[in-house]
């Protein structure tokens, strides 16, 4: 079993990472940061997002495990004091996993360039200055002319992140779907948007064509990908998935309840 440890820079995370490395060596498991089968992240959801992008070219052969050194995360199941239990699970691994959908983002730039991106949480599109106007198409049919701060397109597991702040629904992680939520849309006699989040199926796609000149701010998870002029962006559910080693499984709705409402399993 080849294992990579991907930690944030916090002192408590680095301490956990060191303890993990020592125990992995003692168990005769192998550390391999270049071509791992398991990637253990130590930190929070942000650390898992960064690790996902670091290893996104090897998703087919990698399973992730998240240890949180702060609060319960959406991608982090293990606590920092559970390193021994995790090592036992790694030593007895039988390939068990759970997978979640990802978001494909196809970006056409005004200069003719094309870029393909992959998001675990979401992608947002905003204009650098002023409000954004954009034609929104569903399956190549014009759906609406959006005007407002921007749009957020998220995966089911990303629905609890930026999407939720933008008023989107929390989607079950078992659904194959992506969600488009509006960020501060303008609705008056001149401009009209649907005004509620949209949920798109695997056979559908969404295309956004900015309707003004000027720099756009395009994000993919933790990164600001571009601030060039964008001609169009197409969003669809990816054929790729992220896999987590399922040694234990916090039920999705229990995680939502614990994180946002504060209800613990035994309450
Ligand atoms: P950050 O601004 O340092 O952290 C954003 C917060 O979002 C952190 O508390 C993070 O949890 C949490 N988070 C990340 N993924 C989540 C998920 N799937 N469900 C629930 N909460 C989640 O930024 P970052 O660490 O680089 O993370 C990037 C993410 O920040 C983006 O993907 C976006 O979703 C989110 N974001 C949210 C807003 C907003 O809500 N207005 C604005 C910009 C970005 P941890 O503390 O466990 O890392």
């Amino acid at each position: 079993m080849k294992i990579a440890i991907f930690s944030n820079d916090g002192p408590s995370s680095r301490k956990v990472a060191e303890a993990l490395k020592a125990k992995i060596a003692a168990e005769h498991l192998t550390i391999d940061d270049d071509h791992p089968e398991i990637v253990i992240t130590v930190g929070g959801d942000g650390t898992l997002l960064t690790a996902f992008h670091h290893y996104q070219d090897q998703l087919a052969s990698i399973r992730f495990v998240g240890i949180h050194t702060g609060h319960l995360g959406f991608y982090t199941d293990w606590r920092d004091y559970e390193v021994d239990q995790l090592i036992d699970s790694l030593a007895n691994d039988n390939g068990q996993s759970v997978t979640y959908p990802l978001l494909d983002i196809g970006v056409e730039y005004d200069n003719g360039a094309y870029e393909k991106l992959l998001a675990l949480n979401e992608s947002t599109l905003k204009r650098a200055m002023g409000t954004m106007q954009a034609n929104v198409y569903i399956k190549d049919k014009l759906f609406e002319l959006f005007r407002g701060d921007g749009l957020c397109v998220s995966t089911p597991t990303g629905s609890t992140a930026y999407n939720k702040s933008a008023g989107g629904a929390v989607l079950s992680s078992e659904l194959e779907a992506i969600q488009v939520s509006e960020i501060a849309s303008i609705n008056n006699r001149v401009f009209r948007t649907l005004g509620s989040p949209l949920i798109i199926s695997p056979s559908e796609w969404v295309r956004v064509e900015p309707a003004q000149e000027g720099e756009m701010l395009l994000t993919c998870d933790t990164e600001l990908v571009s601030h060039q002029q964008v001609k169009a962006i197409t969003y669809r559910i990816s054929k790729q998935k992220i896999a987590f080693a399922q040694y234990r499984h916090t039920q999705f709705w229990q995680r939502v309840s614990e994180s946002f409402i504060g209800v613990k399993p035994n309450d």
Side-chain angles (χ1 to χ4, degrees):
M1 168 86 73
K2 293 182 289 175
I3 300 169
I5 297 175
F6 195 100
S7 169
N8 70 16
D9 281 337
S12 54
S13 298
R14 272 188 287 159
K15 212 168 140 193
V16 172
E18 287 312 315
L20 260 173
K21 274 184 195 158
K23 290 186 179 183
I24 284 170
E27 275 294 332
H28 304 296
L29 300 161
T30 312
I31 294 279
D32 184 339
D33 288 333
D34 296 328
H35 297 100
E37 294 159 272
I38 297 275
V39 174
I40 304 176
T41 67
V42 188
D45 284 331
T47 315
L48 191 293
L49 286 167
T50 309
F52 164 78
H53 286 286
H54 184 83
Y55 289 106
Q56 77 175 62
D57 294 337
Q58 300 179 52
L59 289 183
S61 54
I62 284 180
R63 287 175 295 147
F64 289 85
V65 172
I67 299 182
H68 60 96
T69 47
H71 52 88
L72 173 71
F74 277 83
Y75 300 113
T76 54
D77 271 325
W78 294 80
R79 293 301 314 265
D80 43 6
Y81 51 76
E82 294 176 313
V83 168
D84 288 337
Q85 277 169 264
L86 177 55
I87 295 288
D88 278 351
S89 301
L90 289 166
N92 295 305
D93 180 89
N94 62 11
Q96 60 271 59
S97 68
V98 58
T99 59
Y100 299 124
L102 299 170
L103 171 70
D104 261 349
I105 307 154
V107 194
E108 295 162 46
Y109 291 101
D110 257 25
N111 62 8
Y114 180 81
E115 189 174 18
K116 235 174 146 4
L117 306 165
L118 191 64
L120 172 55
N121 263 358
E122 81 288 287
S123 171
T124 63
L125 183 66
K126 296 174 184 168
R127 196 156 167 249
M129 291 290 289
T131 54
M132 176 177 95
Q133 287 184 44
N135 286 307
V136 179
Y137 296 81
I138 299 178
K139 279 183 94 172
D140 296 336
K141 292 264 187 283
L142 182 63
F143 180 75
E144 66 180 14
L145 171 60
F146 174 88
R147 186 172 178 194
D149 279 6
L151 290 166
C152 170
V153 185
S154 58
T155 63
T157 54
S159 68
T160 47
Y162 200 150
N163 165 74
K164 187 171 180 298
S165 305
V170 174
L171 286 200
S172 165
S173 60
E174 292 180 18
L175 283 174
E176 291 272 336
I178 54 172
Q179 179 170 190
V180 183
S181 51
E182 301 178 349
I183 307 170
S185 60
I186 297 174
N187 273 289
N188 54 29
R189 278 185 294 179
V190 184
F191 293 101
R192 183 132 309 277
T193 64
L194 183 67
S196 61
L198 282 172
I199 294 167
I200 301 297
S201 78
S203 63
E204 296 170 317
W205 60 92
V206 173
R207 185 176 167 87
V208 180
E209 290 181 1
Q212 320 113 299
E213 305 262 291
E215 280 183 24
M216 304 297 292
L217 302 177
L218 172 67
T219 69
C220 178
D221 294 334
T222 55
E223 296 294 315
L224 176 62
V225 180
S226 158
H227 43 79
Q228 296 174 51
Q229 216 158 303
V230 168
K231 186 175 167 219
I233 306 191
T234 305
Y235 300 99
R236 56 178 90 227
I237 300 170
S238 177
K239 291 192 169 57
Q240 298 185 78
K241 291 197 165 202
I242 183 171
F244 285 82
Q246 198 182 17
Y247 304 133
R248 62 163 56 161
H249 187 52
T250 309
Q251 198 243 0
F252 176 73
W253 294 111
Q254 180 194 323
R255 201 188 293 270
V256 172
S257 172
E258 218 174 312
S259 296
F260 293 112
I261 319 289
V263 176
K264 296 250 167 14
N266 297 325
D267 282 355

